[in-house]
Amino acid sequence: MGILVDEHSRILVQGITGQEGSFHARACRAYGTQVVAGVTPGKGGQLFDEEVPVFDSVAEAVKETGADVSLIFVPPPFAADAIVESADAGVPLIACITEGIPVQDMVKVGRYLQDMPTRLIGPNCPGLINPGARCKIGIMPGDIHLPGRVGVVSRSGTLTYEAVGQLTDLDIGQSSCVGIGGDPIIGSSFVDVLRLFQEDPETDLVVFIGEIGGTMEQEAAAYIEEEFTKPLCALIVGATAPPGKRMGHAGAIITGESARAESKIQALREAGATIIPTPADIGSTAQKVLTGG
Amino acid sequence: MGILVDEHSRILVQGITGQEGSFHARACRAYGTQVVAGVTPGKGGQLFDEEVPVFDSVAEAVKETGADVSLIFVPPPFAADAIVESADAGVPLIACITEGIPVQDMVKVGRYLQDMPTRLIGPNCPGLINPGARCKIGIMPGDIHLPGRVGVVSRSGTLTYEAVGQLTDLDIGQSSCVGIGGDPIIGSSFVDVLRLFQEDPETDLVVFIGEIGGTMEQEAAAYIEEEFTKPLCALIVGATAPPGKRMGHAGAIITGESARAESKIQALREAGATIIPTPADIGSTAQKVLTGG
Amino acid sequence: MKLHEYQAKEILSRYGIVIPRGILVSTPQEAGKATEELGGAAVLKAQVHAGGRGKAGGIKLVRSVAEAEREAQTLLGQNLVTHQSGPQGVPVNSLLVEELADIQRELYLALTIDRGFGGPVLIGSPSGGIAIEEVAASNPESIHTEPIEPVLGLMPYQTRRLAARLGLEPELSRPAAQVMNLLYRIFTDNDCSLIEINPLIITGDRRVVALDAKMEVEDESLFRHADLQQLRDRAQEDELEAEAADQDIAYVNLEGNVGCLVNGAGLAMATLDVASAAGAAPANFLDVGGGADAEKVAKAVGIILSDPKVTRVLVNVFGGILRCDVAARGIVLAYQRSGARLPLVVRMLGTNVEEGKEILADSGLAVTFASTLTDAAQAIQQAN
Amino acid sequence: MKLHEYQAKEILSRYGIVIPRGILVSTPQEAGKATEELGGAAVLKAQVHAGGRGKAGGIKLVRSVAEAEREAQTLLGQNLVTHQSGPQGVPVNSLLVEELADIQRELYLALTIDRGFGGPVLIGSPSGGIAIEEVAASNPESIHTEPIEPVLGLMPYQTRRLAARLGLEPELSRPAAQVMNLLYRIFTDNDCSLIEINPLIITGDRRVVALDAKMEVEDESLFRHADLQQLRDRAQEDELEAEAADQDIAYVNLEGNVGCLVNGAGLAMATLDVASAAGAAPANFLDVGGGADAEKVAKAVGIILSDPKVTRVLVNVFGGILRCDVAARGIVLAYQRSGARLPLVVRMLGTNVEEGKEILADSGLAVTFASTLTDAAQAIQQAN
């Protein structure tokens, strides 16, 4: 089981002929993921690594290969277009890795996707992985994962790997791990992913990794309190980080105090989450909760 | 019963202090409609006809009076704003009478309303009426209506009155009559209204009045064939009308042959509708169907 | 509102779309001078608001100044009759003199509103240079559409896809996409109901050029485009239709002799349908609109009465936003102003109907009242 | 990227928003001349990228040319320390000399992106002229927001509502709405992350004027704004931070002595959290980003090594889009280039981790490898 993807998922990689795209398409395949197609406009007809057909458009790729997940490595100026192209081609799940997409592009894409059946993970995210199904759709190092029953959801990329690494070191396997991305506007929120973990019979516990800024953790806390029935360990990073120099005044007054780490930790604690004291304690906290300690 | 509105509906009139707005607000009240508020920016605090409070904004009107239907007489340049203001204020039903709203304004409003729970009737329409509930939300002459069990839905304004007049002359009452509007982009389609008539236990038969242009009648025919279970009499006008001088080439090739009257009549006939031979035969055709003749 | 080719092209050019070099002229002498400026050979294109101009002889290739003057002499001042212009044709008051284009390929590109989609669509075909209706009939699968989501605008993948379907090589895909993007901007900035570039050509030196351009601005939006309002050319419009348009009245001149005044487009079409079925030939389609006051009704009736072929008048008014008393006052006013004595069949129902009938009955006009559509049609058929 | 007040105002003015008459100067003589041009009295405003300028003495009212020259002499060339500038302050290299405004009322208006809403919001308050954070703390209900749906844009009813909440009389509602509409256009046209007009004033003669303006353009969007890229003023930025920004590296200078190289903002924050908890004071926050190549990593490490307060370096890389071997090569390159011999604690995990460690082990650098976050923090705490 796990969420969103499994061993039947058929992946197409947008930007497969680029440097990052080709590297990670290879890594996904090496892990066991079914990469069935690539898309690079103007390079249709090629074969990637002598096996994966490359198409000029997502629509062709879907038609010819039945791809049902799109993994995007397209550079920032073209990434919004890539997302919309996949959504319009009817791809039900998109993971967009690209970092640095202009916010106003994502404002529009976000609005557009509201009316579409497509689910977007990211952008500016590591993607998602289902270790039990050997299905890796993203840039995370596959070999640190272990099949198991803990779900991981995180706003951060590399910190997700840190969490997984600590879990695996303690022999705690993962059902699915999802990096939802660090941009101001992203396709799927904590709540969206928690809902899926709630429904997944093979997830017993969720490790939740938030950050300072925004109010998404508070929204997750509200959901956890009202509907989420599984144990959850939560880490919020950034308590000692410098005050966000990039956050303007006007932005600060929208979220105000709630953007700070303490506010988020408090909300999650009150919602019944077990708080992970420091980033070094992710694995051990999960272990304690699992063993009832 | 009837659809959309009944004796409990509480109406606010946007543009109530204008010439048309005030005339028709009065006519609605005279018919028995509960007009609970008016809205004209800058005229808040006045009383309309010494009884109906006028507000500066829809939000205030809704808050103070519990209005749940908005009837719009605002001039074309400001009508899109009026629709959005009502939708944002949470008004569940809007009837926009205004004729001549720029199409590109309605393109945007149409897209916005997709994500809103609000239902829009019109623009460029006569509104809707439930004679049994003495609830008239629009510009139709109230006294031609008779409470009864025939639903009327039409793209045309005055032709709807013609239909109602013919029905009433034959003592055939109406459950509800809805003019969906003649503009290229409207809030509710034939199918939307037919669905409501399908669900209404007090509607036995529907009189359906279409026009040349567009393909909405064909979409209705498809719905009628697949899901609509009540008898339906259909009139399509425009068979002898001059070829639409205002329809550009590019527009013509989008809809092509299907914009013509014969194509629409054929689709409706094949869907099981009883075709009304000429506009003079609306009442008699309905009577025949009702009496099984 | 239709624009002339030269007006549309000026707008295209201002946005950055490449158009041929061209000079607008209104005399044969100017045509000759322009041809000289363009190197001694040119195309003379009649500036008229009607398609099918080429087949009707409205476009002439000239290879000398003398030939330019001769052809301009013939074209200017004539009424050009095309399959779209109606039998009376449209006057040729100016010519666009353009440089010869090195045409390698002719494509079709257009933007319009698609009711079904509820927004603008971009339409393209590799079969440009001929009427798109013919392409639609003979080769419909060569016409491609790209719906444009208003929140997103035209997306790059759509322009790539359409460019590919137009058969453009990769190196031409980018300039063609640029044209598509600019057309969409022009369409939205100017509240167009139609932009049509037919043909969009690929030249021998691999440029993408708008060789012809048709542009229509939505009448309802003209209030916010003072600049575009200036571009209206009344000379191209049917005189009565232009007068009606000035009053914001929907009017189409037809062949018969029954002048029709109706409120509402649907009822107006229904009235024509019933009148025709009863053997009466309508002289016009006229929807006076919902928001009419007595003066506007009077103007509408005045337009009907000023049509020489009209011998009787049929009024079919169902009072709603337009009240019957208002309509009646307008009718009386128009008859008084024109001094006309044409027989009048009136069917009135709805809001303030009694007042309306009273006003007409008291007016001294030769009014026959009818109560049903059928009655009205029969009465007008007999009223001669 | 932040713009100066004078740059922001020039953009506002270009779009049609009224700003005071002003002259940019960079010498006391120019300041005197400008004051003379403005009628002998003016306001001198230090052009710096830091809020709180007024309280810090960066704004001076002068009533004569001599006074203008004197005050300009003091301001120009100094480092202005405000509550936002950090202790080192920001250099005052130019002054905006503006005419005196006849202030009747001071309002606040801003536009930014609201993550929760997923789009732009317009923010307004009748309490302008003071820091909005203070208003938010003391009188939060006087701050009003209007979310803007991208497909619709800012709707008239929203501008009417906000104008009313700002306490504007009906006759001022329209010009204020106009300012709001223009601000939204500026915001979207220029991919802003923030526009703040504080105060927006009502003058004695009832005009709506932007008396101050703050504008920030989203760094990610600069690639499509060549014109705005020109407006960057490096002198206003921390030198190392500016260097980092040039390389597209997220870097913030801190107070400690442990240079930190991390990939990923979350892991970088986590690293600071753990290091601080272990008693080691970070010298910086540095996220080298996902798409880094060896050269970019080398630049990042170079920035760390060029910081004089750094005595040891902590590397925490979890290989994903950035592979460990690439990171290792970059680190070695930077040490070689700088000749630095600072101790290095490296924690590396993930993609190509073995190759990465091998490269570092073979490099001859004083590397300590750590396997967990705690180990790394302890190792760096001891590495002195």
Side-chain angles (χ1 to χ4, degrees):
Chain A
M1 283 286 288
I3 63 171
L4 290 165
V5 294
D6 59 24
E7 56 273 28
H8 306 297
S9 297
R10 299 172 67 79
I11 286 61
L12 76 85
V13 177
Q14 288 179 264
I16 198 168
T17 58
Q19 202 189 332
E20 296 304 328
S22 57
F23 177 84
H24 288 289
R26 249 165 234 141
C28 289
R29 295 187 75 204
Y31 186 73
T33 312
Q34 284 193 70
V35 175
V36 299
V39 171
T40 302
K43 304 215 169 160
Q46 299 185 1
L47 273 186
F48 173 76
D49 281 0
E50 293 169 22
E51 286 182 344
V52 181
V54 178
F55 298 90
D56 282 325
S57 74
V58 174
E60 288 170 82
V62 167
K63 193 176 157 219
E64 298 298 327
T65 67
D68 55 11
V69 182
S70 180
L71 175 59
I72 298 181
F73 290 99
V74 170
F78 316 110
D81 183 52
I83 294 170
V84 172
E85 182 177 3
S86 268
D88 284 350
V91 177
L93 179 68
I94 302 172
C96 182
I97 308 305
T98 309
E99 182 181 347
I101 304 180
V103 171
Q104 299 201 17
D105 288 8
M106 281 310 300
V107 166
K108 295 174 187 169
V109 169
R111 282 303 188 265
Y112 181 58
L113 292 183
Q114 280 182 350
D115 298 321
M116 303 288 282
T118 295
R119 182 189 297 271
L120 171 67
I121 305 288
N124 189 14
C125 81
L128 64 159
I129 186 168
N130 179 334
R134 298 298 291 176
C135 182
K136 162 172 128 81
I137 297 170
I139 58 173
M140 62 288 288
D143 56 12
I144 62 171
H145 295 82
L146 186 71
R149 303 184 62 88
V150 170
V152 179
V153 59
S154 166
R155 261 169 84 175
S156 157
T158 45
L159 190 50
T160 317
Y161 318 156
E162 176 67 39
V164 169
Q166 291 186 24
L167 291 169
T168 296
D169 279 351
L170 295 172
D171 253 339
I172 303 171
Q174 303 92 42
S175 57
S176 280
C177 306
V178 182
I180 60 172
D183 275 4
I185 296 181
I186 54 178
S188 299
S189 67
F190 276 126
V191 173
D192 293 329
V193 177
L194 287 176
R195 279 187 204 285
L196 297 169
F197 279 130
Q198 171 70 20
E199 297 303 316
D200 178 33
E202 297 194 1
T203 296
D204 296 337
L205 166 84
V206 169
V207 169
F208 173 108
I209 300 175
E211 286 179 11
I212 52 170
T215 58
M216 225 195 322
E217 288 80 4
Q218 281 85 347
E219 288 146 28
Y223 167 75
I224 291 166
E225 183 149 17
E226 285 166 29
E227 299 184 37
F228 196 70
T229 60
K230 303 186 178 184
L232 182 141
C233 304
L235 172 68
I236 302 292
V237 295
T240 64
K245 288 209 180 182
R246 299 177 65 181
M247 181 183 290
H249 296 219
I253 56 169
I254 289 177
T255 52
E257 287 298 298
S258 50
R260 295 175 54 216
E262 302 92 279
S263 156
K264 292 170 186 284
I265 290 170
Q266 195 188 337
L268 287 159
R269 181 180 285 123
E270 287 171 4
T274 304
I275 302 301
I276 301 171
T278 85
D281 308 313
I282 302 170
S284 55
T285 307
Q287 193 173 42
K288 264 188 231 155
V289 172
L290 283 172
T291 56
Chain B
M1 281 290 285
I3 62 171
L4 291 165
V5 295
D6 58 26
E7 55 275 27
H8 306 297
S9 297
R10 299 173 68 77
I11 285 62
L12 77 85
V13 178
Q14 289 180 264
I16 197 168
T17 58
Q19 203 190 332
E20 297 304 329
S22 58
F23 178 83
H24 287 289
R26 252 167 232 138
C28 290
R29 295 187 73 207
Y31 187 73
T33 312
Q34 284 193 69
V35 175
V36 299
V39 171
T40 302
K43 305 215 170 163
Q46 301 185 0
L47 272 186
F48 173 76
D49 281 359
E50 294 169 22
E51 288 182 342
V52 181
V54 178
F55 298 90
D56 282 325
S57 73
V58 174
E60 288 171 81
V62 167
K63 194 176 157 218
E64 298 298 327
T65 68
D68 55 10
V69 182
S70 180
L71 175 58
I72 298 181
F73 291 98
V74 170
F78 317 109
D81 183 52
I83 296 170
V84 172
E85 182 178 4
S86 268
D88 283 350
V91 177
L93 178 68
I94 302 172
C96 182
I97 309 304
T98 310
E99 181 181 347
I101 304 179
V103 171
Q104 299 201 15
D105 288 7
M106 281 309 301
V107 166
K108 294 173 186 170
V109 169
R111 281 302 189 265
Y112 180 58
L113 292 183
Q114 280 182 350
D115 297 322
M116 304 289 281
T118 295
R119 181 190 297 270
L120 171 67
I121 305 288
N124 189 11
C125 80
L128 64 159
I129 187 168
N130 180 334
R134 299 300 291 178
C135 183
K136 162 171 127 83
I137 297 170
I139 58 173
M140 62 287 288
D143 56 13
I144 61 171
H145 295 81
L146 185 73
R149 303 183 62 87
V150 171
V152 178
V153 59
S154 167
R155 260 169 84 175
S156 157
T158 46
L159 189 51
T160 317
Y161 317 157
E162 177 67 40
V164 169
Q166 292 186 24
L167 291 170
T168 296
D169 280 351
L170 295 172
D171 253 339
I172 303 171
Q174 304 92 41
S175 57
S176 281
C177 308
V178 182
I180 59 173
D183 274 4
I185 297 183
I186 53 178
S188 299
S189 67
F190 276 127
V191 173
D192 293 327
V193 177
L194 288 177
R195 279 187 204 285
L196 297 170
F197 279 130
Q198 171 71 20
E199 297 303 316
D200 177 32
E202 299 195 0
T203 297
D204 296 336
L205 166 84
V206 169
V207 169
F208 173 108
I209 301 176
E211 286 179 9
I212 52 170
T215 57
M216 225 196 320
E217 289 78 4
Q218 281 85 349
E219 287 146 29
Y223 166 75
I224 291 166
E225 182 150 17
E226 283 167 29
E227 299 183 38
F228 195 71
T229 60
K230 302 187 180 184
L232 183 141
C233 304
L235 171 69
I236 302 292
V237 294
T240 64
K245 288 210 180 180
R246 299 177 65 183
M247 182 184 289
H249 295 218
I253 55 169
I254 288 178
T255 52
E257 287 299 299
S258 50
R260 296 174 55 214
E262 303 92 280
S263 156
K264 291 169 188 284
I265 290 172
Q266 193 189 338
L268 286 160
R269 180 180 286 125
E270 286 171 4
T274 303
I275 301 302
I276 300 171
T278 85
D281 308 313
I282 301 170
S284 56
T285 308
Q287 193 174 43
K288 264 186 230 155
V289 172
L290 282 171
T291 58
Chain C
M1 185 187 79
K2 288 180 180 171
L3 303 193
H4 280 297
E5 175 191 10
Y6 79 91
Q7 295 168 329
K9 279 184 169 166
E10 205 240 276
I11 295 173
L12 298 187
S13 171
R14 209 189 309 140
Y15 277 81
I17 294 176
V18 182
I19 56 170
R21 239 181 4 129
I23 299 160
L24 185 73
V25 304
S26 54
T27 67
Q29 292 69 35
E30 287 175 4
K33 198 161 152 275
T35 303
E36 194 171 3
E37 264 182 61
L38 294 172
V43 181
L44 311 189
K45 302 167 90 176
Q47 297 299 290
V48 291
H49 283 183
R53 180 175 65 155
K55 278 191 185 157
I59 300 179
K60 298 287 179 191
L61 174 65
V62 296
R63 301 237 168 245
S64 73
V65 170
E67 194 184 352
E69 289 178 352
R70 206 164 51 238
E71 292 288 1
Q73 183 79 50
T74 316
L75 280 169
L76 283 165
Q78 86 164 71
N79 260 28
L80 193 69
V81 179
T82 83
H83 73 274
Q84 285 189 4
S85 69
Q88 75 288 5
V90 276
V92 182
N93 295 327
S94 61
L95 303 175
L96 180 58
V97 184
E98 276 191 346
E99 65 179 348
L100 300 187
D102 174 14
I103 303 175
Q104 201 185 70
R105 221 175 325 160
E106 295 183 290
L107 313 171
Y108 175 90
L109 217 51
L111 265 160
T112 189
I113 297 284
D114 180 356
R115 289 167 174 241
F117 169 64
V121 288
L122 178 64
I123 305 169
S125 171
S127 307
I130 50 172
I132 195 68
E133 295 91 328
E134 290 175 27
V135 180
S138 64
N139 193 13
E141 68 283 0
S142 79
I143 297 176
H144 307 281
T145 62
E146 293 287 346
I148 304 175
E149 267 301 320
V151 73
L152 294 173
L154 186 58
M155 295 301 280
Y157 93 87
Q158 297 183 291
T159 58
R160 276 200 307 271
R161 177 164 64 188
L162 190 56
R165 286 173 172 170
L166 295 181
L168 294 173
E169 300 78 1
E171 103 248 26
L172 286 170
S173 178
R174 195 178 293 255
Q178 176 70 353
V179 169
M180 296 175 203
N181 288 324
L182 291 172
L183 283 183
Y184 178 61
R185 255 182 63 200
I186 296 168
F187 188 84
T188 52
D189 283 0
N190 297 285
D191 274 306
C192 294
S193 48
L194 174 72
I195 301 181
E196 193 177 52
I197 310 298
N198 188 19
L200 179 76
I201 62 165
I202 310 300
T203 62
D205 56 353
R206 312 296 275 164
R207 291 179 311 140
V208 180
V209 178
L211 196 57
D212 195 357
K214 212 173 245 134
M215 189 164 158
E216 294 179 19
V217 179
E218 197 208 9
D219 292 323
E220 278 71 15
S221 306
L222 279 173
F223 71 87
R224 56 189 177 201
H225 298 289
D227 51 332
L228 296 174
Q229 286 171 32
Q230 309 302 319
L231 302 183
R232 179 162 173 208
D233 183 357
R234 283 184 59 108
Q236 294 294 314
E237 302 169 29
D238 176 280
E239 202 182 317
L240 292 179
E241 290 182 11
E243 213 180 309
D246 283 347
Q247 307 297 332
D248 206 17
I249 293 164
Y251 173 91
V252 183
N253 206 340
L254 302 175
E255 309 292 312
N257 60 9
V258 177
C260 295
L261 175 89
V262 191
N263 66 324
L267 190 61
M269 283 194 277
T271 306
L272 301 193
D273 286 354
V274 174
S276 300
N284 62 272
F285 166 98
L286 189 156
D287 166 17
V288 71
D293 56 13
E295 185 55 39
K296 188 175 170 191
V297 173
K299 290 262 168 59
V301 177
I303 289 166
I304 292 171
L305 294 177
S306 69
D307 182 352
K309 65 181 184 295
V310 168
T311 60
R312 42 203 169 148
V313 175
L314 170 60
V315 171
N316 189 11
V317 169
F318 221 124
I321 212 167
L322 169 63
R323 286 119 65 182
C324 292
D325 58 326
V326 171
R329 264 195 297 277
I331 294 165
V332 174
L333 201 60
Y335 267 78
Q336 285 169 348
R337 279 181 192 162
S338 76
R341 313 192 55 87
L342 300 182
L344 185 60
V345 174
V346 173
R347 177 168 179 260
M348 257 181 188
L349 289 167
T351 312
N352 295 8
V353 59
E354 290 315 319
E355 295 91 316
K357 284 187 177 171
E358 211 169 304
I359 290 165
L360 285 167
D362 294 351
S363 68
L365 300 181
V367 187
T368 310
F369 289 105
S371 58
T372 69
L373 259 185
T374 314
D375 290 353
Q378 278 165 359
I380 199 72
Q381 208 261 329
Q382 288 153 14
N384 245 335
Chain D
M1 184 186 79
K2 289 180 181 171
L3 303 192
H4 280 299
E5 176 192 8
Y6 79 90
Q7 295 167 328
K9 279 184 168 166
E10 206 240 276
I11 295 172
L12 297 188
S13 171
R14 210 190 308 142
Y15 277 80
I17 293 176
V18 182
I19 57 168
R21 248 194 340 143
I23 299 159
L24 186 74
V25 304
S26 54
T27 68
Q29 292 69 37
E30 288 175 1
K33 197 160 152 277
T35 303
E36 194 172 2
E37 265 182 59
L38 294 172
V43 181
L44 310 189
K45 303 166 89 175
Q47 297 300 291
V48 291
H49 285 182
R53 182 175 64 155
K55 279 191 185 158
I59 300 179
K60 298 286 180 190
L61 174 66
V62 295
R63 300 235 169 245
S64 72
V65 171
E67 195 183 350
E69 289 179 351
R70 207 166 49 237
E71 292 289 1
Q73 183 78 51
T74 317
L75 281 168
L76 284 165
Q78 84 165 72
N79 262 27
L80 193 70
V81 178
T82 84
H83 74 274
Q84 286 189 3
S85 69
Q88 75 289 4
V90 276
V92 182
N93 294 328
S94 60
L95 304 175
L96 180 59
V97 184
E98 275 191 345
E99 63 179 351
L100 299 187
D102 174 13
I103 302 177
Q104 200 185 71
R105 221 175 323 158
E106 295 183 289
L107 313 171
Y108 176 90
L109 218 50
L111 266 160
T112 188
I113 297 284
D114 180 355
R115 290 167 173 241
F117 168 65
V121 287
L122 178 65
I123 305 169
S125 171
S127 308
I130 50 172
I132 194 67
E133 295 91 327
E134 291 175 25
V135 180
S138 64
N139 194 13
E141 67 283 1
S142 79
I143 297 176
H144 307 282
T145 61
E146 294 286 346
I148 304 175
E149 268 300 323
V151 73
L152 294 173
L154 185 59
M155 295 302 279
Y157 94 87
Q158 296 183 293
T159 59
R160 276 200 306 271
R161 176 163 65 189
L162 189 56
R165 286 174 171 169
L166 294 181
L168 293 174
E169 300 78 2
E171 102 247 27
L172 287 170
S173 179
R174 197 178 293 253
Q178 177 70 352
V179 170
M180 296 176 202
N181 287 325
L182 291 171
L183 283 182
Y184 179 60
R185 255 181 62 199
I186 296 169
F187 189 85
T188 52
D189 283 2
N190 297 284
D191 274 304
C192 294
S193 48
L194 174 73
I195 301 180
E196 193 177 52
I197 310 297
N198 189 17
L200 179 76
I201 61 165
I202 311 298
T203 62
D205 57 352
R206 313 295 275 163
R207 291 180 310 140
V208 181
V209 178
L211 195 59
D212 196 358
K214 215 171 244 135
M215 190 165 157
E216 295 178 19
V217 179
E218 197 207 10
D219 292 324
E220 277 72 15
S221 307
L222 279 173
F223 70 86
R224 56 188 177 200
H225 298 289
D227 51 333
L228 297 174
Q229 286 172 31
Q230 310 300 320
L231 302 183
R232 181 164 173 206
D233 182 358
R234 284 185 59 110
Q236 294 294 315
E237 303 169 28
D238 175 280
E239 203 183 318
L240 292 179
E241 290 182 11
E243 211 181 310
D246 283 348
Q247 307 296 332
D248 206 18
I249 294 165
Y251 173 91
V252 182
N253 207 340
L254 302 174
E255 309 292 311
N257 61 10
V258 178
C260 295
L261 176 89
V262 191
N263 65 326
L267 191 61
M269 284 194 276
T271 306
L272 299 194
D273 287 353
V274 174
S276 300
N284 62 273
F285 166 100
L286 191 156
D287 166 17
V288 71
D293 56 13
E295 186 55 38
K296 187 174 170 192
V297 172
K299 290 261 166 63
V301 177
I303 289 165
I304 293 170
L305 294 176
S306 69
D307 181 353
K309 64 182 184 295
V310 167
T311 60
R312 42 203 170 147
V313 176
L314 169 60
V315 171
N316 188 12
V317 169
F318 221 123
I321 211 167
L322 169 64
R323 286 119 65 182
C324 292
D325 56 327
V326 171
R329 263 194 298 276
I331 294 164
V332 173
L333 202 58
Y335 267 79
Q336 284 169 349
R337 280 180 191 163
S338 77
R341 313 194 54 86
L342 301 182
L344 185 60
V345 174
V346 173
R347 177 167 180 261
M348 259 182 188
L349 289 168
T351 313
N352 295 10
V353 58
E354 291 314 320
E355 294 91 318
K357 285 188 176 170
E358 211 168 304
I359 290 165
L360 284 166
D362 293 354
S363 68
L365 301 181
V367 188
T368 312
F369 289 107
S371 57
T372 69
L373 259 184
T374 316
D375 289 355
Q378 277 165 1
I380 200 70
Q381 206 263 329
Q382 288 153 15
N384 245 335

